[in-house]
Amino acid sequence: MRVLGVDPGLTRCGVGVVEGVAGRPLTMLGVGVVRTPAGADLGHRLVVLEQGLEQWLEEHRPEYVAVERVFSQHNVRTVMGTAQASAVALLCASRRGIPVALHTPSEVKAAVTGSGRADKAQVGAMVTRLLRLAAPPKPADAADALALAICHIWRAPAQNRLQQAVALHATKGRTA
Amino acid sequence: MRVLGVDPGLTRCGVGVVEGVAGRPLTMLGVGVVRTPAGADLGHRLVVLEQGLEQWLEEHRPEYVAVERVFSQHNVRTVMGTAQASAVALLCASRRGIPVALHTPSEVKAAVTGSGRADKAQVGAMVTRLLRLAAPPKPADAADALALAICHIWRAPAQNRLQQAVALHATKGRTA
């Protein structure tokens, strides 16, 4: 399973590609940040972001895209930019017919560290260990994008098992 | 000046094209709504919206696009959808090199009714009068899109005059 994780943002949009299946060592295929000029108008920044994400999709051909789910408990201005950046990521993936999953920050932290309230350093440390990297990816947005991709690889089979269990239970209910 | 007004939304995105200059009667060239299926996943809805807006841009070739500026004082879920829909509008216009202006709801209301706190009915009535239509455009999102386009046509020269006045004042200051 090859997953592109996207930590949406206008100034820095983290991107990371991870390949693997749950229960086996994972491989990092790429990590980086798409930046857009802070002084430019919003429309131009969204175009630059679209071009950047298209390059990542084109080069790595992921089977899934995992995007951080945006909440609005944070600063209002930041949330708007994040929501708009995530819209571009969703659009680029869906336009290519690639399934997109949204994961919350606490789901991602829980997946890679065991705690939904882990800090940036802890997430960075676990991403480094799980992908057997020499050093934590920088900036934090890039590490977060890798954590999103790992989270998606690990959650996908759990979600499948849950669906199978529900289906089995339904069958048993009918045959009992 | 030909302007496409966009009232961003995921369920209904209002679009309206108005041609004219300030101080002359205005002409409506088109009005409508781009709808996306409420039950579909977000990525698919953004793709449908992109295709719909592309059709409007392709058919009417506006020189300017005016989009409602999104605020977050409303319902959180709605604001996210509105921010993401506006991102698609900004992206489509900017990708074609069309300048995009953002106007707040109160700027639009003030432009067409004289009051920044006018209600939907008042905006609809003034849009109908200013564009010499037989009846108010429905739904309200379509009327709002036309109001945005009218607002842009009327505010553009005012902004230019302001810039000229500032420039003149600066020149006088130097020669005094």
Side-chain angles (χ1 to χ4, degrees), chain A residues 71-82, chain B residues 72:
Chain A
F71 285 108
S72 57
Q73 67 263 42
H74 315 292
N75 176 290
V76 166
R77 272 193 96 81
T78 313
V79 165
M80 288 299 175
T82 311
Chain B
S72 57

Side-chain angles (χ1 to χ4, degrees), chain A residues 3-163:
Chain A
V3 181
L4 171 68
V6 179
D7 183 27
L10 276 180
T11 304
R12 287 184 308 276
C13 181
V15 279
V17 186
V18 179
E19 195 167 61
V21 292
R24 300 259 187 90
L26 304 165
T27 308
M28 182 183 83
L29 299 180
V31 65
V33 169
V34 177
R35 296 173 194 272
T36 78
D41 68 77
L42 181 54
H44 178 67
R45 300 183 77 177
L46 296 172
V47 172
V48 172
L49 178 58
E50 181 187 43
Q51 289 167 347
L53 291 176
E54 280 294 332
Q55 277 180 15
W56 280 84
L57 291 167
E58 192 60 35
E59 185 178 342
H60 290 282
R61 307 265 169 186
E63 294 151 273
Y64 297 89
V65 173
V67 181
E68 187 174 295
R69 191 183 287 280
V70 183
F71 285 108
S72 57
Q73 67 263 42
H74 315 292
N75 176 290
V76 166
R77 272 193 96 81
T78 313
V79 165
M80 288 299 175
T82 311
Q84 293 175 320
S86 79
V88 175
L90 285 159
L91 184 67
C92 290
S94 299
R95 216 160 41 191
R96 288 171 177 254
I98 304 170
V100 186
L102 299 167
H103 299 289
T104 66
S106 56
E107 283 169 352
V108 175
K109 288 173 187 172
V112 301
T113 74
S115 163
R117 290 175 295 168
D119 63 14
K120 292 266 177 205
Q122 208 177 336
V123 171
M126 282 307 296
V127 164
T128 309
R129 185 174 309 167
L130 293 166
L131 297 174
R132 289 154 292 135
L133 308 176
K138 298 221 169 131
D141 315 77
D144 286 347
L146 291 171
L148 266 156
I150 296 170
C151 170
H152 185 74
I153 292 171
W154 285 355
R155 281 174 65 92
Q159 285 168 352
N160 293 346
R161 279 200 303 274
L162 184 65
Q163 284 162 1

Side-chain angles (χ1 to χ4, degrees), chain B residues 2 5 10 13 17 26 29 59 71 82 95 100 102 112 115-116 131 137 140 149 158 165 168-169 176:
Chain B
R2 182 179 293 188
L10 276 180
C13 181
V17 186
L26 303 166
L29 300 180
E59 186 178 343
F71 284 108
T82 311
R95 217 161 38 191
V100 186
L102 298 168
V112 300
S115 164
L131 298 174
L168 186 67
H169 182 78

Side-chain angles (χ1 to χ4, degrees), chain B residues 7-23:
Chain B
D7 183 26
L10 276 180
T11 305
R12 289 184 307 276
C13 181
V15 279
V17 186
V18 178
E19 195 168 63
V21 291

Side-chain angles (χ1 to χ4, degrees), chain B residues 12 48 57 61 72 74 79 81 84 86-87 91 93 109 115 136 143 172:
Chain B
R12 289 184 307 276
V48 172
L57 291 166
R61 307 265 167 184
S72 57
H74 316 292
V79 164
Q84 292 173 320
S86 79
L91 183 67
K109 290 173 185 173
S115 164
K172 277 185 180 165

Side-chain angles (χ1 to χ4, degrees), chain B:
Chain B
M1 185 190 278
R2 182 179 293 188
V3 181
L4 171 67
V6 179
D7 183 26
L10 276 180
T11 305
R12 289 184 307 276
C13 181
V15 279
V17 186
V18 178
E19 195 168 63
V21 291
R24 300 261 186 90
L26 303 166
T27 307
M28 182 184 81
L29 300 180
V31 66
V33 168
V34 177
R35 294 174 197 273
T36 78
D41 68 77
L42 181 55
H44 178 67
R45 299 183 77 176
L46 296 172
V47 172
V48 172
L49 178 59
E50 180 187 42
Q51 289 166 346
L53 292 175
E54 280 294 331
Q55 278 181 16
W56 280 85
L57 291 166
E58 192 59 36
E59 186 178 343
H60 290 282
R61 307 265 167 184
E63 293 151 275
Y64 297 90
V65 172
V67 181
E68 188 174 295
R69 190 183 288 277
V70 182
F71 284 108
S72 57
Q73 66 261 41
H74 316 292
N75 176 291
V76 165
R77 272 193 96 80
T78 314
V79 164
M80 288 299 174
T82 311
Q84 292 173 320
S86 79
V88 175
L90 286 157
L91 183 67
C92 290
S94 299
R95 217 161 38 191
R96 289 172 177 256
I98 304 170
V100 186
L102 298 168
H103 300 289
T104 67
S106 56
E107 283 169 352
V108 175
K109 290 173 185 173
V112 300
T113 75
S115 164
R117 288 175 297 167
D119 62 14
K120 291 264 176 206
Q122 207 178 337
V123 171
M126 283 308 295
V127 164
T128 310
R129 188 175 305 166
L130 293 166
L131 298 174
R132 289 152 292 132
L133 307 176
K138 299 222 167 126
D141 314 77
D144 285 347
L146 291 171
L148 266 155
I150 296 171
C151 170
H152 187 75
I153 292 171
W154 285 356
R155 283 174 64 94
Q159 284 169 353
N160 292 345
R161 279 201 301 275
L162 183 66
Q163 283 162 2
Q164 282 165 4
V166 169
L168 186 67
H169 182 78
T171 313
K172 277 185 180 165
R174 279 200 298 274
T175 55

